[in-house]
């Protein structure tokens, strides 16, 4: 996997569509930039990546992505500071996690240089697509899928690696009410829950639809065996604050090793906030809600950074959380976003300069 890239071929669009975009009214992940990075695996090796115009993909109907679901992805963002500098947040963690997911899904691992230099080249080409409005960013979606042909149930012999980007406005989830799941599971021991595999998310949609019909916006997933312990909130890691202690579950076969999650734990330590990484039982959360000791719950992930939870439902009873003026959620979110947008010191070395 020791690969050296001197430069990456770039094929630019004939005419940019950037002037057609209303950057003051961007929804999340629905408008796409002019270019994308593309790389093909065939004959036992990854070919050199190239930047090409954003375009549809043509696939054979027997391509294995359609039949056996070999598909993984990452989620990350590029930010512009007040001086026009372009930054990434912990990109090497995304690169490493992509390969962890690839290994679990029997997908050939991607050379680090293809990811890092390819992404840097793409951002240089499409730098004008990185919005500057408050809270906005360029959402980045690296993904790999099986393009090899055949109906036989085995790993593909060809794959595509693509990085596509989408300028997105500030992500506000509003007041989220969640339902603690008692029947369905997101993942299981020995499974692929720790990987960012597409099927993990497809399997969440139906239980979430059931929760939405009951008046909730998301599901809190519990362990697959007993449903006694909370594990994730929707597609995000979850944090619970009981009194002044912040608690999150340990990573495992079932729980994604979230980059925002790791950042929160480091910043909490820097702020002197007591944090524990341990199992959190549903009974403990319910009892804390009844006693008034449950101060906060929030999800943590790339899109929203931190998404506060206003209340949760369990066994037919709704529990509301207090509205705090000085919440841990807002403190931690500000610390992270100030680093991401180059507004504050980065004592952790997370910020990566592109331009």
């Amino acid at each position: 996997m020791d690969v050296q890239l001197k430069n990456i071929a770039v094929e630019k669009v004939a005419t940019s569509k950037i002037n057609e975009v209303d950057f003051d009214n961007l929804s999340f992940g629905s408008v796409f930039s002019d270019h994308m990075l593309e790389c093909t695996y065939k004959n036992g090796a990854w070919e050199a990546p190239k930047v090409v115009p954003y375009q549809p993909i043509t696939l054979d109907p027997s391509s294995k992505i359609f039949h056996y679901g070999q598909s993984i992805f990452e989620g990350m963002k590029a930010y512009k500071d007040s001086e026009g500098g372009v930054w990434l947040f912990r990109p090497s963690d995304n690169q490493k996690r992509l390969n962890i997911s690839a290994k679990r899904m029997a997908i050939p691992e991607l050379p680090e240089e293809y990811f890092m230099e390819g992404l840097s080249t793409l951002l240089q080409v499409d730098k004008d697509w990185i919005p500057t409005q408050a809270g906005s960013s360029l959402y980045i979606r690296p993904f790999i899928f099986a393009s090899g042909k055949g109906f036989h149930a085995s790993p593909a012999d060809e794959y595509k690696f693509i990085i596509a980007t989408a300028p997105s406005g500030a992500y506000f989830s509003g007041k989220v009410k969640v339902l603690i799941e008692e029947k369905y599971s997101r993942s299981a021991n020995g499974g692929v829950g720790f990987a960012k595999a597409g099927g993990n998310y497809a399997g969440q949609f139906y239980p979430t639809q059931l929760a939405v019909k009951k008046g909730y916006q998301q599901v809190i997933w519990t362990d697959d065996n007993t449903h006694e312990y909370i594990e994730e909130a929707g597609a995000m890691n979850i944090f619970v604050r009981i009194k002044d202690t912040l608690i999150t579950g340990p990573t495992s076969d079932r729980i994604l090793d979230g980059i925002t999650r790791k950042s929160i734990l480091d910043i909490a330590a820097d702020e002197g906030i007591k944090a524990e990484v341990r199992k959190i039982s549903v009974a403990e959360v319910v009892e804390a809600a009844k006693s008034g000791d449950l101060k906060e719950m929030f999800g943590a992930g790339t899109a929203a950074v931190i998404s506060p939870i206003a209340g949760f439902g369990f066994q037919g009873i709704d529990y509301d959380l207090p509205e705090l003026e000085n919440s841990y959620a807002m403190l931690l979110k500000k610390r992270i976003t100030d680093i991401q947008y180059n507004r504050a010191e980065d004592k952790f070395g997370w910020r990566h300069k592109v331009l």
Side-chain angles (χ1 to χ4, degrees), residues 71-89:
S71 173
I72 58 173
F73 70 96
E74 277 296 321
M76 51 198 303
K77 293 178 178 178
Y79 311 86
K80 258 187 186 171
D81 63 23
S82 59
E83 303 298 320
V86 176
W87 303 87
L88 293 167
F89 183 72

Side-chain angles (χ1 to χ4, degrees), residues 6 18 48 57 63 70 95 100 105 116 145 148 155 199 204 225 236 253 271 276 304 336-337 347:
K6 292 184 177 179
I18 194 168
I57 302 166
S63 295
Q70 273 185 293
Q95 180 271 322
I100 289 171
M105 299 301 290
M116 297 299 291
F145 63 91
Q204 296 182 31
N225 186 26
M236 309 177 81
D253 286 351
E271 289 284 347
E276 296 177 357
I336 291 174
T337 55
K347 62 174 65 177

Side-chain angles (χ1 to χ4, degrees), residues 56-68:
I57 302 166
T58 300
L59 292 171
D60 190 280
S62 72
S63 295
K64 293 200 174 186
I65 177 58
F66 300 133
H67 307 281
Y68 304 113

Side-chain angles (χ1 to χ4, degrees), residues 3 42 75 98 111 208 260 270 303 323:
V3 179
K42 62 189 304 184
L98 184 76
T208 302
T260 306
D270 189 60
E323 293 190 14

Side-chain angles (χ1 to χ4, degrees), residues 11 47 60 70 73 81 84 107 112 114 120 122 137 148 152 166 176 204 206 213 251-253 304 325 340:
E11 177 191 345
E47 298 178 348
D60 190 280
Q70 273 185 293
F73 70 96
D81 63 23
I107 293 172
E112 178 182 357
Y114 283 23
S120 178
L122 179 63
S137 59
H152 46 290
V176 176
Q204 296 182 31
Y206 176 66
K213 289 180 180 178
T251 55
S252 67
D253 286 351
E325 286 188 15
Q340 290 171 335

